Every structure is written in C-alpha cells, then in structure tokens.
Amino acid sequence: MIILNYHELVDGNPSNPWCLTNEAFESHLALCGDRLVSPQTFLKRCTDGKANAVDAVLLTFDDGFLSDYTGVYGRFVENGRIPGFTSFIPVDFVGMPGRMTWAMIEELDKAGIAIGSHGMAHVDLTSVSDSELYRELALSKLILEDRLGRAVPLFAFPYGRFSKRAWNAALRTGYTHLFTIQLGHHRGFEPFLYSRLCLTNMMDADYLRQHLRDPDSGRGFAWRASTKLGLYRQMMRVRYR
C-alpha cells in the first residue's frame, strides 16, 4: 500500500511549497483512480503480512487546516469522490485562523474520517525534553480522545522526524500506528512505522505517477543494495538504536 501526505489545499496561488491547489489535488485523484481506500480499510490491511503487495492508496492530511473540512471533506468525501482520509491534528492549533474548529473535527470524526494526533505545538520530537515529549504525545492524545469520545491510536511525527526515544514514548502512550515521511511502501523498518510521500507543489504529475507505479523508485543505491542483501532493517535499527 501507498500513503500520500498532504497539507493545505487552496483555490488560488499556493503560499508555500506544502500548499497545493484544488486543481492539482484533483489531478492526483485522477491518477489514483479506484485505488483509494478508507482509513478503516487501510488499518484492517495493516494486519495482513502481504499488505505491501496490495494496490491501494491512503490519503492523509497534516496540521488541521480548514481545507480538510471545506475542501477535502466538503468537496470530495461528501459527494463520494474519495472514500475518506486521515487528518492529523496539532491540538494547540485548533481554532486558529485557517485551521479547523473542534466542531469541524468532531463532525469529520462522526463522518468516518480518521482523526490522529500531530502533537500539541507541532515541534520536532527528537529535540525536546522528557516533559515536552510527554505533553506532545500524551496530552494531545488525552484531549483528542476526550473531545471525540473514542481512542486515538494514530500519530504523525511533526516534520516526519523521529527517533527510537520518540517512538518508544509514543508506543508507551498508547499509539499503535506511527506515521513519518519517507519514500517507499507504507511499511517502515519497524512494524508500527508507516512511510508517506509528502506531496509539494514542486512535484509534477509525472513524479506522482511514477511513485504510484513503483513507490521504491526514488530510493537511492544504499537502500537498493541493503535491501537486496537483506540488511536494510538491521541497518536502520542500528541507526535508530
């Protein structure tokens, strides 16, 4: 399976590289076709050891932008264009200009959109103190679960940055699926890590088309050599020990 990562969608000119136009997003949907799956289907397939071979695509959105509600949900989910998506929320940002309110997030949750945590203040978890790490992981989870009335097992590392210390803390907190930003199929070198391709407005349709055809095509020689020799997982575990 392949996981795509987006941020904000706009009708006008993008204000930063991670902001895409709705027109560009529609072109991405056309490339994905009927390969799109709901978060619920994705999570079920995560328990399948052969899931990497499944020709499916999951959409995820980070940072709780208003366009998750007005654009992705309002324009594409409600009319059946896409089966759903995952929205990762930095709790401190809720209700800020350009971000969703709690009422919007709760409506998405009730509609079957998977809500995950993106921490409290969207900070790099590899460089925070133990108390800050606890706040980012545990407090964000507690607040989201209190607002939604359900467990929140999904977490996306801000900036895609992670470490063994950070993921162990996340697992102890009760998260079961940890999302980062890396090339390749969804399975990382640990079973609880999930790779995503972060789409920017500097990537053209051909780039996404190639990724959908072969998500490992963008990886370098070191990955290809270590994978061929069966050493990739061991090397990454040493790196993040």
Side-chain angles (χ1 to χ4, degrees), residues 207-219:
Y207 185 94
L208 179 58
R209 184 180 292 107
Q210 178 59 33
H211 185 79
L212 293 172
R213 183 182 301 118
D214 178 10
D216 293 323
S217 62
R219 294 185 187 256

Side-chain angles (χ1 to χ4, degrees), residues 33-197:
D34 60 3
R35 297 172 62 179
L36 293 171
V37 297
S38 69
Q40 293 75 19
T41 297
F42 171 81
L43 291 173
K44 288 179 181 178
R45 292 182 179 180
C46 285
T47 61
D48 180 0
K50 298 180 180 179
N52 270 338
V54 176
D55 192 26
V57 178
L58 174 70
L59 302 176
T60 68
F61 287 79
D62 287 3
D63 297 349
F65 282 105
L66 184 60
S67 59
D68 283 17
Y69 181 82
T70 59
V72 192
Y73 175 62
R75 297 173 66 166
F76 299 105
V77 175
E78 286 195 310
N79 64 12
R81 289 281 305 281
I82 62 176
F85 63 97
T86 300
S87 180
F88 289 103
I89 308 297
V91 174
D92 281 347
F93 294 1
V94 175
M96 293 178 64
R99 312 284 175 152
M100 290 188 289
T101 64
W102 281 116
M104 293 173 181
I105 294 169
E106 290 164 9
E107 183 178 341
L108 292 187
D109 175 70
K110 291 176 182 176
I113 306 305
I115 303 298
S117 172
H118 206 29
M120 293 294 295
H122 199 284
V123 297
D124 180 356
L125 298 188
T126 66
S127 61
V128 298
S129 66
D130 288 344
S131 60
E132 289 175 304
L133 184 60
Y134 174 83
R135 179 178 186 271
E136 291 295 322
L137 293 168
L139 185 57
S140 65
K141 190 175 194 293
L142 180 65
I143 292 173
L144 284 168
E145 291 179 341
D146 182 64
R147 298 292 310 212
L148 303 178
R150 69 170 72 231
V152 175
L154 312 180
F155 183 85
F157 292 105
Y159 308 106
R161 297 172 189 157
F162 62 93
S163 63
K164 187 172 183 179
R165 169 177 171 262
W167 82 51
N168 279 337
L171 294 173
R172 287 195 301 269
T173 302
Y175 295 106
T176 56
H177 298 70
L178 310 179
F179 293 77
T180 181
I181 297 173
Q182 294 176 326
L183 290 173
H185 286 87
H186 78 282
R187 281 284 163 83
F189 58 91
E190 295 287 4
F192 47 80
L193 289 176
Y194 295 84
S195 301
R196 301 183 294 170
L197 173 67

